[in-house]
Amino acid sequence: MSKQGAFDLVSGVGGRIDKEEVLSAVDKYEKYHGYYGGEEEERKNNYTDMVNKYYDLCTSFYEYGWGESFHFAPRWKGESLQESIKRHEHFLALQLGLKPGQKVLDVGCGIGGPLREIARFSSTSVTGLNNNEYQISRGQVLNRKIGLDQTCNFVKGDFMKMPFPDNSFDAVYAIEATCHAPDPVGCYKEIYRVLKPGQCFAVYEWCMTDSYNPNNEEQKRIKAEIELGNGLPEIRSTQQCLEAAKKAGFEVVWDKDLAEDSPVSWYLPLDTSHFSLSSFRLTAVGRLFTRNLVSALEYVGLAPKGSQRVQAFLEKAAEGLVGGAKKGIFTPMYFFLVRKPISDTQ
């Protein structure tokens, strides 16, 4: 895992928030969510502020525990977590049929782990769109480190109103990112607009499955835990996402919940009943170590006040993700490939 992520965690919560303001940022972020009595409409109306606060507070924890790619993956037996993550990214590139020299857009790119992997795998030029300044600055450092800063770049912008001309990209993808959108139709319409006619958009979406029962209190609590711990305004169903893509104008090529046939459960690294040396930071023992480290650093003043609460709601999110997966009501890898009609010239 990333040494920089560990350094950031030791020196304080990452992001553009001053140490003195972290506690108030945590307060405001938590109040957005249903787990603490917040309303879905308020989360949607203030999604930019909510998501930015989330990633300012959590990016260093993510990089410390997960590496540079903040997403899950279906996994084969005998395959490491990092190997499965890379294969998941390669699969996306292959589904899009990427060719050397093409211009590709990564919507909600994080610190650019998938961007760098896909660019190297396909010899394409990838632009990462992100509305969080801290993640962009971190991604730029990592791009320079491996010499991709001349062919790949980052643009600060909202995926509900992208700062690109019509028909700009040969392909677009999103990995567990457009789940942050307050309106999937509006988000997919923007992707449709910037994509060239005849070209494809591929996405991994976080969704509630057909097994989710909104009248079941335990299932509602699990959903709220996932939303709180992952900066989400709401979690939509698989059918809502696919219908939103159709309403945006896309033709559906194919879709599938890739979690269904995974030989090794995608949530295994988060399951406290499982121990793994390769994913030690994510195990029960690893989380206990991190919890005590953050607590000690906050106590002596090296980490800002509020850091323990960030760690706590991330752990709550992990509980929700594992619970949702075991009950079959949640998936982080509902995949669909859609095409912008070649007849559409805007």
Side-chain angles (χ1 to χ4, degrees):
M1 297 299 175
S2 169
K3 293 179 181 178
Q4 182 65 38
F7 175 78
D8 283 348
L9 190 59
V10 170
S11 60
V13 174
R16 297 289 183 179
I17 302 177
D18 290 337
K19 279 191 173 185
E20 293 74 20
E21 298 175 4
V22 167
L23 186 58
S24 63
V26 175
D27 281 334
K28 189 171 182 180
Y29 173 75
E30 288 180 341
K31 287 175 183 175
Y32 279 128
H33 286 277
Y35 193 82
Y36 289 98
E39 298 294 330
E40 180 182 310
E41 198 60 33
E42 185 179 5
R43 294 197 295 278
K44 289 182 176 179
N45 291 337
N46 297 283
Y47 80 97
T48 299
D49 180 62
M50 179 188 72
V51 175
N52 260 308
K53 279 187 169 53
Y54 175 77
Y55 281 114
D56 275 342
L57 293 167
C58 298
T59 294
S60 294
F61 284 93
Y62 269 34
E63 193 175 352
Y64 169 74
W66 213 253
E68 295 177 18
S69 293
F70 304 159
H71 64 81
F72 296 101
R75 193 166 160 188
W76 292 97
K77 292 180 179 179
E79 186 178 45
S80 72
L81 174 62
Q82 291 304 310
E83 287 171 342
S84 71
I85 284 173
K86 286 188 176 185
R87 182 175 49 77
H88 201 45
E89 293 163 357
H90 295 172
F91 176 84
L92 202 68
L94 291 170
Q95 292 303 309
L96 285 168
L98 298 184
K99 297 177 177 61
Q102 286 186 323
K103 288 181 61 179
V104 182
L105 177 64
D106 181 331
V107 178
C109 62
I111 62 172
L115 177 156
R116 286 181 288 279
E117 187 64 33
I118 288 174
R120 289 182 292 187
F121 178 75
S122 60
S123 297
T124 52
S125 174
V126 186
T127 295
L129 180 70
N130 195 324
N131 214 18
N132 184 271
E133 290 183 8
Y134 173 68
Q135 289 198 333
I136 288 176
S137 63
R138 181 78 187 113
Q140 288 170 334
V141 170
L142 294 169
N143 274 15
R144 285 194 296 271
K145 187 176 290 186
I146 63 169
L148 277 181
D149 52 311
Q150 299 302 309
T151 56
C152 297
N153 67 314
F154 295 89
V155 172
K156 187 178 187 303
D158 185 345
F159 52 37
M160 300 300 294
K161 191 176 181 180
M162 297 188 192
F164 306 114
D166 296 352
N167 308 321
S168 296
F169 295 96
D170 298 301
V172 181
Y173 68 85
I175 301 178
E176 302 182 20
T178 46
C179 51
H180 291 294
D183 169 27
V185 177
C187 180
Y188 295 159
K189 278 185 175 179
E190 273 295 272
I191 291 169
Y192 184 97
R193 180 183 66 79
V194 303
L195 183 63
K196 293 178 181 178
Q199 302 305 308
C200 289
F201 165 52
V203 62
Y204 295 131
E205 279 285 7
W206 281 33
C207 292
M208 305 310 293
T209 70
D210 292 340
S211 299
Y212 174 67
N213 179 3
N215 297 314
N216 182 293
E217 290 301 316
E218 182 185 11
Q219 292 185 19
K220 282 172 62 178
R221 175 186 57 78
I222 288 172
K223 180 173 178 284
E225 287 177 347
I226 298 171
E227 289 168 344
L228 166 70
N230 296 280
L232 306 179
E234 67 166 331
I235 308 175
R236 295 170 278 269
S237 71
T238 55
Q239 287 307 304
Q240 282 176 313
C241 286
L242 197 62
E243 285 304 312
K246 293 176 184 177
K247 287 178 181 178
F250 284 110
E251 301 171 340
V252 178
V253 179
W254 73 283
D255 72 292
K256 182 176 176 57
D257 178 4
L258 299 182
E260 290 178 347
D261 300 327
S262 179
V264 177
S265 300
W266 62 265
Y267 61 83
L268 195 65
L270 300 177
D271 191 345
T272 54
S273 64
H274 172 74
F275 182 83
S276 168
L277 284 175
S278 62
S279 304
F280 174 74
R281 293 182 180 90
L282 304 173
T283 65
V285 177
R287 285 191 215 169
L288 177 63
F289 171 81
T290 303
R291 194 181 310 132
N292 289 336
L293 171 65
V294 173
S295 176
L297 292 171
E298 185 172 333
Y299 179 77
V300 299
L302 289 177
K305 291 181 179 179
S307 299
Q308 291 180 78
R309 283 169 60 185
V310 176
Q311 166 76 9
F313 70 63
L314 288 176
E315 288 199 19
K316 184 63 66 178
E319 292 172 12
L321 290 168
V322 173
K326 288 185 174 180
K327 289 185 176 297
I329 62 173
F330 170 79
T331 177
M333 55 190 76
Y334 174 56
F335 172 84
F336 60 80
L337 179 71
V338 293
R339 181 184 293 112
K340 180 175 179 175
I342 197 164
S343 59
D344 192 327
T345 56
Q346 294 287 325

